[in-house]
């Protein structure tokens, strides 16, 4: 006849079985319920091709693809908010978005925001009509000309500080370019690839030319509000990884080689 086990022995045996069973159940539950998705709001200028613009209902462009790649590295889903540039800056200042791009570096910007980058360098140039006799060696060469700029944009430190130049502000690069074609301004200033893209899109590439000397080579940054320091540290780490493994260079080459 088998003697029943003492109650204390049974309790010890059950305790030994309970922990592995609990761990197994926890693992099954974790597999059944995926981690909660993380979403970040991303502000950028509505129409700034080839860097950020909408195509077939989706946000695309060189800088958009770079930002998306950084967020993918963090397992974060971007929620893009195309805005006017002044609205991008306002949304950053009011801490209403997680990320804004693309910003030019300055002491004021570094004081205002967490600045990640630079993730690329842009070439700022002057564009004139094809038949124009305007030349540029020094900014003083442009004192007698009307120069189209976009309201709220920064271009290059020397140009931005040149209050003696006649700068005619517009709401966008598109308006600026059309003013040039119509003769309402003599020169426009902007990113080389942006101005050339607009000229091609309008079928007016043959009607304009870029002055040979650049205004400046300008590093571009992704910005985050100061209040979002922890997210900025994560994004900076992702930027360093994708910069060092060549991902950002491959994105740039893929677009600019087209």
């Amino acid at each position: 006849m088998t003697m029943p086990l003492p109650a204390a022995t049974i309790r010890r045996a059950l305790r030994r079985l309970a922990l592995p069973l609990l761990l197994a159940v926890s693992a099954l539950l974790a597999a059944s319920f995926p981690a909660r998705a993380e979403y970040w709001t991303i502000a950028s200028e509505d129409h700034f091709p080839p860097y950020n613009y909408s195509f077939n209902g989706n946000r695309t462009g060189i800088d958009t693809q770079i930002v998306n790649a950084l967020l993918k590295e963090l397992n974060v889903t971007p929620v893009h908010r195309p805005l006017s540039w002044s609205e991008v800056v306002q949304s950053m200042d009011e801490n209403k978005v997680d990320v804004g791009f693309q910003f030019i570096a300055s002491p004021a910007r570094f004081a205002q925001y967490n600045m990640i980058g630079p993730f690329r360098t842009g070439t700022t140039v002057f564009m004139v009509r094809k038949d124009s006799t305007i030349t540029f060696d020094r900014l003083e060469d442009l004192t007698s000309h009307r120069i189209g700029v976009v309201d709220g944009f920064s271009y290059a430190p020397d140009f931005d500080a040149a209050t003696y130049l006649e700068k005619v502000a517009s709401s966008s690069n598109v308006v600026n370019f059309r003013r040039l074609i119509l003769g309402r301004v003599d020169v426009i200033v902007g990113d080389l690839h942006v101005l050339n893209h607009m000229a091609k899109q309008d079928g007016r590439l043959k009607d304009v030319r870029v002055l040979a000397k650049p205004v400046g080579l300008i590093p571009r940054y992704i910005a985050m509000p100061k209040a979002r320091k922890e997210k900025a540290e994560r994004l900076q780490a992702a930027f360093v990884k994708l910069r060092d493994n060549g991902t950002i260079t491959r994105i740039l080459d893929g677009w600019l080689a087209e």
Side-chain angles (χ1 to χ4, degrees):
M1 181 176 179
T2 303
M3 296 294 293
L5 293 173
T9 301
I10 294 173
R11 285 196 296 270
R12 285 195 296 270
L14 289 174
R15 282 196 297 268
R16 284 196 298 270
L17 290 170
L19 182 58
L21 182 62
L22 181 60
L23 292 173
V25 171
S26 298
L28 286 172
L29 288 173
S32 301
F33 297 96
R36 183 178 177 183
E38 186 176 5
Y39 297 89
W40 289 9
T41 52
I42 316 296
S44 63
E45 189 182 0
D46 177 35
H47 192 67
F48 194 63
Y51 298 111
N52 34 282
Y53 59 101
S54 296
F55 182 73
N56 288 339
N58 297 311
R59 293 297 283 169
T60 188
I62 301 170
D63 293 357
T64 302
Q65 188 173 343
I66 290 172
V67 170
N68 286 348
L70 295 176
L71 296 189
K72 184 178 180 181
E73 181 67 24
L74 298 176
N75 293 317
V76 170
T77 300
V79 179
H80 288 282
R81 292 183 58 192
L83 303 166
S84 69
W85 181 248
S86 61
E87 289 172 330
V88 172
V89 174
Q90 182 179 356
S91 67
M92 290 287 295
D93 291 344
E94 295 177 356
N95 192 28
K96 290 182 176 178
V97 296
D98 293 296
V99 174
F101 69 93
Q102 49 281 63
F103 282 82
I104 290 175
S106 69
R109 293 296 195 213
F110 276 99
Q112 286 173 293
Y113 311 130
N114 297 291
M115 299 281 276
I116 291 97
F119 65 94
R120 68 171 172 84
T121 298
T123 304
T124 300
V125 298
F126 289 123
M127 177 177 275
V128 298
R129 291 181 295 279
K130 191 78 169 184
D131 58 359
S132 173
T133 59
I134 295 172
T135 59
F136 163 62
D137 183 57
R138 302 177 306 150
L139 289 174
E140 288 80 359
D141 297 336
L142 303 176
T143 51
S144 61
H145 303 292
R146 295 163 297 163
I147 305 170
V149 300
V150 177
D151 191 30
F153 273 27
S154 298
Y155 291 99
D158 290 349
F159 177 79
D160 295 339
T163 56
Y164 55 86
L165 296 175
E166 184 181 355
K167 301 173 186 178
V168 181
S170 67
S171 59
S172 70
N173 277 301
V174 172
V175 173
N176 222 17
F177 181 76
R178 289 174 181 168
R179 283 180 175 176
L180 176 67
I181 294 299
L182 293 170
R184 295 176 182 170
V185 295
D186 306 307
V187 188
I188 60 174
V189 61
D191 179 272
L192 172 64
H193 295 296
V194 171
L195 298 187
N196 278 335
H197 183 92
M198 285 190 303
K200 289 177 184 176
Q201 288 293 102
D202 275 12
R204 306 301 295 261
L205 193 59
K206 67 182 184 304
D207 299 321
V208 294
R209 63 185 176 89
V210 171
L211 299 186
K213 183 178 178 178
V215 184
L217 301 176
I218 311 299
R220 296 285 184 160
Y221 288 77
I222 299 162
M224 301 183 74
K226 282 290 188 183
R228 309 196 186 210
K229 182 180 178 182
E230 184 271 337
K231 288 183 176 180
E233 290 172 349
R234 291 167 59 196
L235 193 64
Q236 175 67 23
F239 162 71
V240 170
K241 180 176 180 179
L242 269 59
R243 179 196 64 191
D244 292 350
N245 69 17
T247 298
I248 292 176
T249 297
R250 286 192 292 273
I251 291 172
L252 290 167
D253 291 346
W255 280 85
L256 299 180
E258 294 178 356

